Amino acid sequence: MPAGMMIPARNMPSMIGVNGNAGGFGSSSGLALGQIMFQPNMMEGQLHRLDMTQNTPEGDMARIRDDEFDSTNTKSGSENQDGASGDDQDPRPKKKRYHRHTQHQIQEMEAFFKECPHPDDKQRKELSRELGLEPLQVKFWFQNKRTQMKTQHERHENTQLRNENEKLRADNMRYREALSNASCPNCGGPTAIGEMSFDEHHLRLENARLREEIDRISAIAAKYVGKPVVNYPLISAPMPPRPLDLGVGNFGGQPGIGGEIYGAGDLLRSITAPTESDKPMIIELAVAAMEELVRMAQMDEPLWMSSLDGTNAVLDEDEYVRIFPRGIGPKPTGFKCEASRESAVVIMNHINLVEYLMDVNQWSILFSGIVSRALTLEVLSTGVAGNYNGALQVMTAEFQLPTPLVPTRESYFVRYCKQHADGTWAVVDVSLDNLRPSPAARCRRRPSGCLIQEMLNGYSKVTWVEHVEVDDRGVHNLYKQLVSSGHAFGAKRWVATLDRQCERLASAMATNIPAGDVGVITNQEGRKSMMKLAERMVISFCAGVSASTAHTWTTLSGTGADDVRVMTRKSVDDPGRPPGIVLSAATSFWLPVPPKRVFDFLRDESTRNEWDILSNGGVVQEMAHIANGRDTGNCVSLLRVNSANSSQSNMLILQESCTDQTASFVIYAPVDIVAMNVVLNGGDPDYVALLPSGFAVLPDGTAAHGGGMEEASGGSLLTVAFQILVDSVPTAKLSLGSVATVNNLIACTVERIKASLSCESA
C-alpha cells in the first residue's frame, strides 16, 4: 500500500476521544497521539488512524495504545469470551485492555524507520519477533509514523511559503512607493510604471536574462579553461553590445552543398559535434576571435603594411603576435601564413548578406567556386530578437581551387555573428583544431571573416579578412606561384566572388527588363527558372573538378602538368542527372595568354567551333540570354548548334559564363529542347538532367599588381573538365575503350585551344 494512503473501513463508527469531542474519519480532533484509541469492534486486521493535529509531537508515538491480540480471536474480530455459554455471559461488554509500547520498542522502530520507512512483510515479521509485538502492530506503527512525517513536512513548507509571501508583499509595497515618488532623469517630471512601453519592458527582461546567462557561461568557461572570459573583452561600440544568447542545444547537422553528392573526406568524416565540456572553450574562443577580426578589419599600420606596388595590404606577423598574444596557439612547424584584407561595396542589403553567411546551404551556393562542401555540426545559439545577433555554429568546410592539382583545405571551425551597432555586423570563423587534433589537418583558420556596414539604396560595404596557416607542400608546381601569393584562397577572391554573385542575384530579381533586345528573356518566371538551372550546373561543375578528398582521381598516360585525370561515379535515382555510369575527366595546363583573352575566346559562340569537337564543325548561334552583371561576360545563354549532320540539328546547349578579378568560368551542358521549353515557361528546373563540362581560368600569379584577370601581362592557368555518360546502366562496368575515348577527346580539345590562342597571340 502506498505511503500515506488511508483505507476507510466498512461501517466505520464515530471516534470518541477522552475529552468527549467527537470527530469523523480524517477530522482534526485535537487529541494527542497518546490519547488515540483504536475501536474494539473493527473488522479483523483493520485498525484505523485518526488524523494528527499540528500540535502532535513526534515523541508521543510512545503512547499509542494497541489492541492485545490473542490467538483465540474469532474471525469477526471481537474480544475473547473465555469459552462461556450465552447465558453465562456478562451482558456488559468487556473493557478492552490497552498497553503502551516500551521505550526500547519505540527506539528500535524509530531507528529502523530512518533506514526503511516502508518495510515489507518479511521485515515487519522479523521486527515484531525481535520486539515482542504482533506484525500488525508494527505495520500500523509505521503507517502512523509516515503520516506524522508527511504532516510535519507540509507544515514546514507552508510556513516557508507564508514567510516568503510576506517578504514579497513587503518588497512589492516598497517598490510601488518608490515608483510613485520617482522622477524622470531628463525632464525632472513625475513618472509612472505605465509609461514604459510593452516592448521596452520585454527588452529589459530579456536583457537581464541574457546577462545572467552570459555570467553563468563565463563562470563555466573559467572553470574549464583556467582563466576568466573577461580577459577577452568585447570590442567597444557606440551602443553597448548585447550579450551572446547561449541557449545551448543540438539542432542536428544540416547537409551542405556537395556533401551528399560525393560523400565526406577522411578528416571531415572523423569530426563529430562538440561535447558539453568543449562548449565553454568554444564560446570563449569565438568572443576573442570577434574582437580580433573587428580590430584587424579597422587597423592599418603597423599591423597592415602596403605592398611594394601599393595595391595590397601585407600583414606584419611580428606586430600581429604582439597585438594578439592569445588565440589558437603558435604556427605549426612547416605551415605558412596567408593573410589578406580586401574591401568592396556590394549590391545586397546588410541583413540579407548576414542571412546568406549564416545559412550553410546558401553560403555554399554563394561561394560554390570556393566552398566544395560544408556542414553545420551543431548550433550553439540561434541568435536573439529574431535575427542572427549572437548566433554561434560549429561547422566543417572544404575550400577548393577549380583544378585537380591543388589539394582542398579542410577546416573545423566555429562561426560567430554579432551586431556591433545599428547597421554594422561582423561574422567570424576560427578553427577548433585544438579540440580535435588530427595529423591529417593541413590548414587552420585564425580569426577570418567580414565586417558588414549598411549603406544607402540597399548596398553594403564589406571588409573581408582571410588569415590562415597552411601546409601547401602538396600543391603542384604549376600553381605554386598563385597559391603562395595568397590570391588563390585570399580575401580578394572571396570579395570578388561575393560581388559577382550579388550582381547575379540582383539580376534574377530584376523586373524592368527591356523588351527591345533580340534574344532577351523577359518572362520573369522563365528567367528565374533558367537561372536556377544554370546555378545548379555551375555548382555541379565546381564540386566535381577539384582535388577534394571525396574524389578518387586516376591519372592516365602522360607526364607533367598535362596529365589527364579521370574518375567515375554511378548516377541512380537523381532527377538532375541522367542515370548510368558517368565518367569525369580533367586536366590543367598553362597558357602564355592573359586570362581575359582566354575567357573571351572560350565564351564567344562565333569561335566555339574552333575548339568544341562535339559541335562537329557546325555554326553555334545564341538563341536567348540573361545578363548577370556589369561585365558583359557574366551571362546565361541558350545556344543552338546548326550542324551539317541533320541528326544533331536540334541540339541545344545551356551555358553560363562568369568572370571577376580572380577567376573566370565557362560552363555548359547539352539540354533537351522539350525540357528547356518547360523551363522557359517558368517550370521546375530540378528535373532537367545535366552533365556539365567546361573551363576554369585563373591567373598564373606572375603578373604585376597581383596577377588579376584584367592584367595585360602574365599567363593563364586553364582547367578543362568533361563529364560524359558512358553507359546508361548504373550496374555496368566501365570499359577501357570509354576511358580512351574521353582521354582523346580532352587531349584534342586542349590542342585546339592552344593552337587557336597561339595564332591570336602571334
Side-chain angles (χ1 to χ4, degrees), residues 330-626:
K331 181 170 62 178
T333 305
F335 280 46
K336 293 183 179 179
C337 174
E338 292 181 10
S340 54
R341 184 176 67 176
E342 190 74 18
S343 296
V345 176
V346 299
I347 182 171
M348 183 180 283
N349 177 275
H350 65 293
I351 298 297
N352 293 339
L353 185 51
V354 167
E355 291 175 351
Y356 268 92
L357 295 176
M358 296 305 295
D359 184 298
V360 67
N361 291 313
Q362 294 193 77
W363 175 65
S364 301
I365 292 172
L366 197 66
F367 296 101
S368 57
I370 305 175
V371 181
S372 57
R373 289 178 295 138
L375 190 72
T376 298
L377 294 176
E378 186 163 357
V379 178
L380 301 185
S381 170
T382 57
V384 296
N387 57 40
Y388 282 105
N389 183 23
L392 199 65
Q393 303 173 359
V394 177
M395 306 173 64
T396 61
E398 187 179 60
F399 306 106
Q400 66 176 352
L401 206 62
T403 173
L405 303 183
V406 178
T408 53
R409 298 179 174 183
E410 297 170 325
S411 185
Y412 171 53
F413 59 95
V414 58
R415 175 165 293 176
Y416 176 30
C417 177
K418 180 177 176 55
Q419 182 180 11
H420 290 277
D422 288 338
T424 302
W425 292 72
V427 178
V428 65
D429 298 343
V430 61
S431 279
L432 300 175
D433 299 307
N434 291 341
L435 300 180
R436 300 283 189 280
S438 170
R442 298 191 308 270
C443 172
R444 63 177 192 166
R445 291 167 71 78
R446 287 191 177 272
S448 303
C450 59
L451 188 66
I452 304 167
Q453 295 170 285
E454 180 184 15
M455 299 189 71
L456 297 176
N457 301 322
Y459 284 76
S460 300
K461 180 182 179 182
V462 177
T463 302
W464 201 288
V465 174
E466 196 67 17
H467 190 188
V468 301
E469 292 167 342
V470 62
D471 178 4
D472 62 0
R473 286 173 290 186
V475 176
H476 194 281
N477 288 333
L478 197 63
Y479 285 83
K480 280 281 188 185
Q481 182 69 28
L482 178 64
V483 172
S484 62
S485 67
H487 293 294
F489 295 93
K492 190 170 187 177
R493 186 169 174 228
W494 285 94
V495 169
T497 302
L498 176 63
D499 187 24
R500 172 172 54 81
Q501 289 286 58
C502 286
E503 287 188 357
R504 190 184 194 280
L505 291 168
S507 173
M509 294 184 290
T511 55
N512 53 344
I513 308 300
D517 296 340
V518 178
V520 174
I521 301 174
T522 57
N523 176 13
Q524 184 70 15
E525 296 301 320
R527 286 172 59 89
K528 287 183 179 179
S529 293
M530 187 168 171
M531 291 186 69
K532 185 178 179 182
L533 180 62
E535 179 183 71
R536 176 161 64 85
M537 179 178 68
V538 172
I539 291 171
S540 177
F541 174 85
C542 292
V545 76
S546 68
S548 170
T549 54
H551 301 167
T552 304
W553 291 104
T554 301
T555 303
L556 300 182
S557 61
T559 58
D562 288 344
D563 289 346
V564 176
R565 288 163 172 78
V566 297
M567 66 177 174
T568 61
R569 75 174 176 275
K570 296 178 181 179
S571 176
V572 182
D573 296 332
D574 185 351
R577 283 189 181 83
I581 301 293
V582 177
L583 181 64
S584 298
T587 188
S588 298
F589 58 97
W590 178 78
L591 284 169
V593 182
K596 190 176 188 308
R597 287 182 58 190
V598 176
F599 171 70
D600 290 338
F601 168 75
L602 293 172
R603 75 177 182 87
D604 189 352
E605 66 271 13
S606 65
T607 58
R608 189 182 187 98
N609 57 3
E610 295 184 28
W611 58 264
D612 190 355
I613 300 173
L614 299 179
S615 66
N616 200 22
V619 177
V620 180
Q621 178 185 3
E622 183 181 77
M623 297 177 60
H625 74 272
I626 302 173

Side-chain angles (χ1 to χ4, degrees), residues 176-356:
R176 285 181 179 276
E177 184 178 355
L179 285 172
S180 63
N181 298 325
S183 60
C184 176
N186 295 326
C187 64
T191 184
I193 192 170
E195 292 181 6
M196 182 184 295
S197 68
F198 174 79
D199 289 340
E200 183 181 356
H201 181 63
H202 177 74
L203 288 174
R204 288 180 183 274
L205 292 176
E206 180 74 4
N207 196 40
R209 184 187 69 80
L210 292 174
R211 289 188 182 280
E212 291 177 0
E213 191 72 9
I214 197 64
D215 289 343
R216 183 177 67 82
I217 295 298
S218 298
I220 297 174
K223 173 184 175 183
Y224 280 104
V225 302
K227 55 183 181 293
V229 179
V230 292
N231 288 342
Y232 303 98
L234 294 175
I235 195 72
S236 59
M239 64 177 290
R242 297 188 64 178
L244 187 65
D245 179 28
L246 298 171
V248 176
N250 187 357
F251 292 82
Q254 301 174 11
I257 297 301
E260 296 177 342
I261 299 176
Y262 297 104
D266 293 337
L267 179 60
L268 296 184
R269 193 186 301 117
S270 64
I271 295 175
T272 58
T275 63
E276 288 297 324
S277 60
D278 292 335
K279 291 174 183 177
M281 186 179 295
I282 292 173
I283 295 163
E284 178 189 27
L285 193 60
V287 172
M290 177 60 70
E291 180 201 8
E292 181 175 320
L293 173 74
V294 175
R295 293 181 66 185
M296 289 189 71
Q298 295 174 340
M299 293 178 67
D300 290 318
E301 295 184 1
L303 182 63
W304 294 97
M305 308 295 290
S306 296
S307 59
L308 295 177
D309 55 24
T311 59
N312 298 314
V314 180
L315 181 69
D316 186 324
E317 292 189 50
D318 293 334
E319 189 68 19
Y320 170 79
V321 173
R322 188 189 67 80
I323 297 176
F324 306 106
R326 291 185 294 269
I328 59 175
K331 181 170 62 178
T333 305
F335 280 46
K336 293 183 179 179
C337 174
E338 292 181 10
S340 54
R341 184 176 67 176
E342 190 74 18
S343 296
V345 176
V346 299
I347 182 171
M348 183 180 283
N349 177 275
H350 65 293
I351 298 297
N352 293 339
L353 185 51
V354 167
E355 291 175 351
Y356 268 92

Side-chain angles (χ1 to χ4, degrees), residues 80-90 94:
N80 285 335
Q81 298 176 355
D82 297 330
S85 63
D87 296 335
D88 297 333
Q89 292 178 11
D90 190 341
K94 282 188 176 181

Side-chain angles (χ1 to χ4, degrees), residues 1-27:
M1 183 174 67
M5 183 180 292
M6 291 185 173
I7 304 178
R10 292 185 293 271
N11 303 321
M12 186 190 70
S14 299
M15 297 185 180
I16 309 298
V18 295
N19 59 357
N21 294 331
F25 179 80
S27 65

